[in-house]
Amino acid sequence: GGAGAEAARCVCNSGFVGNGEVCVALVDERQCDGVGSVWEDGQCFKRVSSSSVTFAEAQRICSEWSGALASLRSDAQSAVARELIGASTAWIGLFQPHQHLPSGSVFPPAWLSTSLAQQTEDHLVAGAAIGDAFRNWAPGEEVTFYNASNLTRCGFVDDEGRWRMGAFGGCESGRAVLCARNTPDIDECLTNTHDCDARATCLHPIRSFNCTCAQGYT
């Protein structure tokens, strides 16, 4: 098309998931990265760690998984979060920066840009400010948005799929980790797209593959 024309968009066929550029077959119709993962509304969600870690550690864990802390932009995505975390709580990509007191300027919580970047559905990214049409805050949370502090706050999802903000300065608390990314994991070993030697075994870590020589070969 001419200048200003919208870029063409691709949609994965039924039975496949992906971002339109990469589509892979579903072994399980909901899994996108093995057991404990769910593809919903254009994202792969996974509880990558059940250990109690800090917010900063959670960000690192999701980055190593090639994703980011999850953003939850629809009822369906919130339901997936509730399913994956069970009876616990997990860090998500909500963050409220500290205030430079006494300026009087208070910034409410917002989704981290890295978290929103994992969304592939335009309507779930557009209007992603905290005051937009989709909000899933736990009762009473919103009244705390404009409490000023020189400490940061970090967000998490509770066992009902509701969003909550931790205490000011509470980002060091231990919680599980809910990550999301915008492409499924491609198993090069399963799809035979690796380049391992015929005398080697293909092993599949996250988003890559390794070749291990068979016994008697180096």
Side-chain angles (χ1 to χ4, degrees):
E6 263 190 51
R9 297 196 55 153
C10 301
V11 177
C12 295
N13 292 333
S14 177
F16 293 78
V17 295
N19 63 358
E21 296 177 6
V22 178
C23 299
V24 297
L26 285 167
V27 178
D28 178 294
E29 67 176 10
R30 302 180 72 225
Q31 287 182 14
C32 49
D33 185 37
V35 176
S37 66
V38 175
W39 184 270
E40 185 61 63
D41 279 350
Q43 279 196 114
C44 182
F45 291 90
K46 190 168 187 177
R47 180 175 170 169
V48 176
S49 174
S50 298
S51 301
S52 292
V53 301
T54 67
F55 189 80
E57 289 171 334
Q59 288 181 289
R60 176 186 58 76
I61 288 169
C62 290
S63 178
E64 290 177 352
W65 184 66
S66 300
L69 284 170
S71 60
L72 306 173
R73 303 290 305 125
S74 68
D75 286 327
Q77 291 184 349
S78 295
V80 164
R82 184 170 63 248
E83 174 186 346
L84 291 178
I85 69 170
S88 62
T89 63
W91 293 119
I92 54 175
L94 282 171
F95 183 77
Q96 184 172 14
H98 67 84
Q99 315 304 321
H100 297 287
L101 303 177
S103 68
S105 298
V106 178
F107 301 97
W111 292 109
L112 295 169
S113 60
T114 51
S115 297
L116 284 180
Q118 306 308 315
Q119 296 280 359
T120 61
E121 302 288 338
D122 288 344
H123 70 285
L124 299 181
V125 178
I130 290 304
D132 72 359
F134 183 75
R135 294 183 289 182
N136 198 29
W137 293 102
E141 284 292 311
E142 291 178 271
V143 301
T144 70
F145 287 175
Y146 294 96
N147 294 342
S149 172
N150 62 352
L151 300 173
T152 57
R153 288 205 301 173
C154 299
F156 62 95
V157 61
D158 65 18
D159 59 358
E160 295 183 350
R162 299 280 189 175
W163 313 339
R164 294 182 180 271
M165 297 302 296
F168 285 104
C171 298
E172 298 300 309
S173 299
R175 302 188 191 282
V177 184
L178 183 64
C179 303
R181 67 181 182 215
N182 57 24
T183 56
D185 189 34
I186 300 173
D187 189 335
E188 292 87 354
C189 302
L190 182 64
T191 58
N192 202 32
T193 53
H194 59 84
D195 57 1
C196 294
D197 186 271
R199 292 172 290 273
T201 300
C202 180
L203 301 174
H204 175 64
I206 292 175
R207 296 172 80 83
S208 184
F209 68 91
N210 295 324
C211 303
T212 301
C213 291
Q215 188 173 2
Y217 292 87
T218 59

